[in-house]
Amino acid sequence: MTTPPSSPSAAALTSRLRAAGCVFAEDEARLLLSVPQSDADLEAMIAQRVAGFPLEAILGWVVFCGLRIGVGPGVFVPRQRTEFLVREAARLSRPGAVVLDLGSGTGALGVALGSMVDGIELHSTDIDTPAVACTRRNTEPLGGRVYQGDLFAPLPPELRGRIDIMLANVPYVPTDAIDLLPPEARDHEPLVTLDGGLDGLEVLRRVAAEATDWLAPGGSLLIEIGDKQRAAATDAVTAGGLTARVVDSEEFYATVVIAQKSPRPVVEAREIA
Ligand SMILES: C[S@@+](CC[C@H](N)C(=O)[O-])C[C@H]1O[C@@H](n2cnc3c(N)ncnc32)[C@H](O)[C@@H]1O
């Protein structure tokens, strides 16, 4: 007969996680031990973590903007740096704003913005089935609507020209750089969540090309990028007919392009005879 494993102490678990390469081993040990569960289930979770699965996927949640957000298997884990994009979006939002979260993953960005701005009308889209299911679980209880498909394709036509705030943390890692990502991302997050094509900006360019049609006059599009992508990303956004500025945060180690649609319809200059 085998004896069921007994709970390790925090110190023993920290050493085990550290030996497996977990940088924040002490914090992770505390989180794993805080989950009420049997010793056998705890051991299974530890074994997954030691094998390299992202902690948040094992726990089933992540803390984002101070909120506990559900994370499903195979869904991109929201990064802390993306809190900067949400905070910038909150500064630009008014109560009741119509918000679109493009490439929503867990849906964390929309949920977090909804906790900062009263009464938003939240719409989210993603192409990946596990992400859509996860966004549904996290946003539908709050009144969010969720669509599955390629970028704007699944949106109801009546949203065209009505979106005040568009959140777009879409894939922006250049294909060649995927191999350099930490194993948690490289081995456990689907390629569709990470791969931004040759220069990382292929999805962003498609977003920028179509955003103007969907934004309300004066509406804003916020896109997270890598520090070295600012010039090419700004070009892509202005080519789509929006004005653009780039903001950075040292605290979050994040860079965001904020693009805006003109508040008034553009009137073409007429030649005066
Ligand atoms: C980097 S992850 C970010 C997820 C979420 N926005 C966040 O910050 O946690 C990018 C997301 O975009 C989705 N995605 C990639 N290409 C897409 C496309 N063409 N149309 C819709 N969603 C897409 C992926 O499935 C993934 O969930």
Side-chain angles (χ1 to χ4, degrees):
M1 208 167 82
T2 52
T3 323
S6 60
S7 281
S9 68
L13 181 52
T14 301
S15 313
R16 201 169 151 195
L17 294 173
R18 192 164 287 134
C22 301
V23 179
F24 303 105
E26 204 169 339
D27 294 339
E28 294 199 7
R30 188 176 38 75
L31 282 168
L32 284 165
L33 290 170
S34 73
V35 180
Q37 61 192 318
S38 69
D39 289 345
D41 286 347
L42 174 62
E43 183 52 36
M45 288 172 95
I46 296 167
Q48 280 188 307
R49 185 65 190 120
V50 167
F53 281 84
L55 177 72
E56 298 81 359
I58 297 168
L59 292 171
W61 50 266
V62 63
V63 174
F64 183 78
C65 290
L67 304 170
R68 192 182 272 212
I69 307 282
V71 178
V75 180
F76 181 90
V77 176
R79 309 297 202 256
Q80 222 190 332
R81 80 169 77 88
T82 308
E83 292 189 10
F84 178 56
L85 184 154
V86 177
R87 290 181 198 286
E88 290 297 308
R91 284 150 51 97
L92 294 165
S93 302
R94 55 166 180 82
V98 178
V99 175
L100 172 65
D101 184 2
L102 263 180
S104 56
T106 60
L109 280 57
V111 173
L113 186 60
S115 75
M116 296 175 192
V117 181
D118 284 341
I120 65 167
E121 178 186 318
L122 177 62
H123 301 263
S124 309
T125 71
D126 204 288
I127 199 165
D128 202 29
T129 301
V132 171
C134 191
T135 297
R136 283 195 203 289
R137 284 195 298 277
N138 286 326
T139 68
E140 284 183 346
L142 307 172
R145 271 155 277 179
V146 185
Y147 318 92
Q148 179 164 13
D150 184 19
L151 297 181
F152 301 91
L155 292 180
E158 55 274 18
L159 262 188
R160 203 177 278 273
R162 280 194 60 226
I163 297 167
D164 299 305
I165 299 288
M166 210 180 273
L167 311 167
N169 184 24
V170 289
Y172 61 84
V173 181
T175 305
D176 278 357
I178 303 272
D179 281 349
L180 309 175
L181 293 174
E184 276 110 328
R186 194 180 62 216
D187 300 337
H188 298 282
E189 291 180 322
L191 206 53
V192 68
T193 71
L194 304 169
D195 190 351
L198 199 61
D199 67 350
L201 297 176
E202 285 177 14
V203 186
L204 178 147
R205 281 196 191 87
R206 294 179 51 224
V207 171
E210 275 198 71
T212 314
D213 277 354
W214 292 91
L215 284 170
S220 300
L221 161 67
L222 297 97
I223 316 181
E224 185 176 292
I225 56 169
D227 176 46
K228 296 196 176 84
Q229 295 171 324
R230 58 184 67 226
T234 302
D235 286 351
V237 163
T238 49
L242 302 167
T243 58
R245 64 194 167 94
V246 178
V247 290
D248 297 284
S249 164
E250 279 183 24
E251 180 191 352
F252 288 100
Y253 198 62
T255 304
V256 171
V257 180
I258 302 182
Q260 200 163 28
K261 180 167 165 173
S262 165
R264 286 176 299 280
V266 178
V267 180
E268 281 184 26
R270 283 209 208 112
E271 221 175 278
I272 299 172

